[in-house]
Amino acid sequence: MGPKSIAGLAGALVVILLVLSSVYIIPETHRGVVLRFGELIETDVPAGLHFKVPVVDQVREFDIRVLTTDLPAKQYLTIEKKPLDVDSYVAWRIQDVDEYYRSTGGDELRAQSLLLSRIDNGLRDEFGVRTMHEVVSGQRDQLMETLRSRVNERVRESFGIEVLDIRVKAIELPQSVSENVYRRMATEREKLAQEFRSRGRELAEGIRADADRQRTVVLAEAFATAEETRGEGDGEAARIYANAYGGDPEFYRLYRSLEAYQKTFSGKDDVMVIDSDSQFLRYFKESSPEAD
């Protein structure tokens, strides 16, 4: 290969390199800016194929899709001066590439830092004019929409950023406050339980006293009924005995005497000194052989 061929090939390569370095492509999800010697000469370059001056021009691309950034958990005071730990996030995107580049230098981390600073101040202001109940449940959605609107207005004009949404993921009491709250809740529950137990004991005592009273009344009535029935039974028995013994008085006297003898002479060692003419021994005398 001769010198002319080599020179021609080198010239072709230089031309190809110049053409390649003068062409750039912006993806559909991005927008770009063109810098010439560090000076901004073209902004908001749309997606597609574009040309630039080789070596002299520099292209920067920026993602215009929706980006989500988590905010570091921070503590804010409510209007009641009660601290709350808040964990939140923000959804945003680049709205004005020119303003975004001029204010942040195209540094996404710097843009996030500026955005989070505005949101932090906004959260502090919004929490400071609301009660704990309002920020937790009562006006939470309203608080987020108000904050989004205020922050969006500021950063859109200053940084070319559009804030689409700000959401609180969690609102919690600080650990020290939570322990005090739990302790107070436990004390209140213990107090309530003690009150219920006292009421239960009082009610139990009343029920027990009423049961004892009813038991006494029932026993008294039962005893009175038993005594009345026993009296009626004894009277009926006496009447029957009287009728039975009235039919043969002599037999009744004999029967009673035999009972007396049985009780008197029930023991082998019993000794009784009595006159033989005693009325107690008349049936012994009447039954002896001499009486016959």
Side-chain angles (χ1 to χ4, degrees):
M1 181 180 295
K4 292 184 178 180
S5 299
I6 295 175
L9 181 59
L13 289 176
V14 171
V15 171
I16 292 174
L17 291 175
L18 288 174
V19 171
L20 291 178
S21 62
S22 64
V23 175
Y24 66 94
I25 299 174
I26 302 295
E28 186 66 30
T29 57
H30 289 63
R31 294 293 182 270
V33 297
V34 179
L35 306 174
R36 181 167 296 169
F37 299 113
E39 182 180 354
L40 187 64
I41 63 171
E42 186 177 0
T43 62
D44 200 15
V45 179
L49 181 66
H50 303 277
F51 296 93
K52 65 176 181 176
V53 177
V55 181
V56 176
D57 293 344
Q58 180 185 3
V59 178
R60 296 281 303 275
E61 298 178 4
F62 306 106
D63 193 343
I64 61 171
R65 290 174 294 182
V66 176
L67 304 176
T68 301
T69 304
D70 287 327
L71 281 73
K74 286 195 173 183
Q75 190 174 104
Y76 302 100
L77 295 177
T78 65
I79 194 173
E80 309 146 314
K81 302 304 179 184
K82 294 182 178 180
L84 293 174
D85 289 338
V86 180
D87 188 9
S88 56
Y89 72 91
V90 56
W92 61 283
R93 67 183 178 186
I94 300 174
Q95 180 68 24
D96 187 336
V97 177
D98 181 75
E99 188 64 38
Y100 175 78
Y101 181 81
R102 295 179 186 279
S103 60
T104 66
D107 187 347
E108 184 175 319
L109 293 179
R110 175 171 170 75
Q112 290 182 357
S113 176
L114 294 172
L115 178 59
L116 298 186
S117 174
R118 301 304 191 277
I119 296 175
D120 178 43
N121 293 333
L123 283 172
R124 196 175 308 279
D125 294 340
E126 293 297 328
F127 273 67
V129 296
R130 287 176 171 84
T131 64
M132 179 182 295
H133 173 73
E134 289 173 344
V135 299
V136 171
S137 59
Q139 299 182 7
R140 187 166 176 172
D141 292 339
Q142 178 184 346
L143 183 153
M144 292 295 100
E145 180 57 30
T146 301
L147 177 61
R148 187 206 66 80
S149 178
R150 289 177 55 187
V151 174
N152 181 58
E153 183 179 352
R154 294 174 183 175
V155 299
R156 190 166 186 170
E157 296 177 356
S158 303
F159 312 129
I161 294 175
E162 179 183 9
V163 177
L164 301 176
D165 195 13
I166 300 175
R167 289 293 166 183
V168 172
K169 295 188 290 185
I171 299 178
E172 298 179 353
L173 292 171
Q175 184 64 29
S176 59
V177 178
S178 297
E179 292 178 358
N180 293 333
V181 171
Y182 293 150
R183 192 178 302 111
R184 184 169 64 253
M185 290 173 61
T187 302
E188 291 176 353
R189 291 297 178 269
E190 181 62 28
K191 181 180 179 181
L192 186 61
Q194 185 64 33
E195 183 178 350
F196 284 146
R197 283 194 289 267
S198 299
R199 292 180 182 177
R201 284 194 293 267
E202 182 180 355
L203 184 60
E205 289 296 330
I207 294 174
R208 191 177 294 110
D210 185 63
D212 291 341
R213 181 186 61 78
Q214 294 183 22
R215 173 178 176 274
T216 302
V217 171
V218 170
L219 289 177
E221 292 177 350
F223 181 77
T225 302
E227 289 297 317
E228 183 179 352
T229 303
R230 188 179 293 109
E232 293 176 355
D234 291 343
E236 183 66 18
R239 186 185 64 77
I240 294 173
Y241 282 130
N243 291 337
Y245 296 142
D248 189 351
E250 185 59 29
F251 175 77
Y252 176 69
R253 285 195 294 271
L254 173 63
Y255 177 77
R256 297 293 292 175
S257 297
L258 290 176
E259 285 185 342
Y261 295 155
Q262 184 178 8
K263 294 179 180 180
T264 302
F265 303 114
S266 60
K268 295 181 179 181
D269 298 329
D270 292 340
V271 177
M272 185 173 67
V273 180
I274 192 172
D275 188 359
S276 59
D277 294 332
S278 171
Q279 186 67 21
F280 182 69
L281 300 175
R282 77 175 180 278
Y283 287 104
F284 282 97
K285 293 194 302 180
E286 292 177 358
S287 61
S288 65
E290 293 180 358
D292 291 340

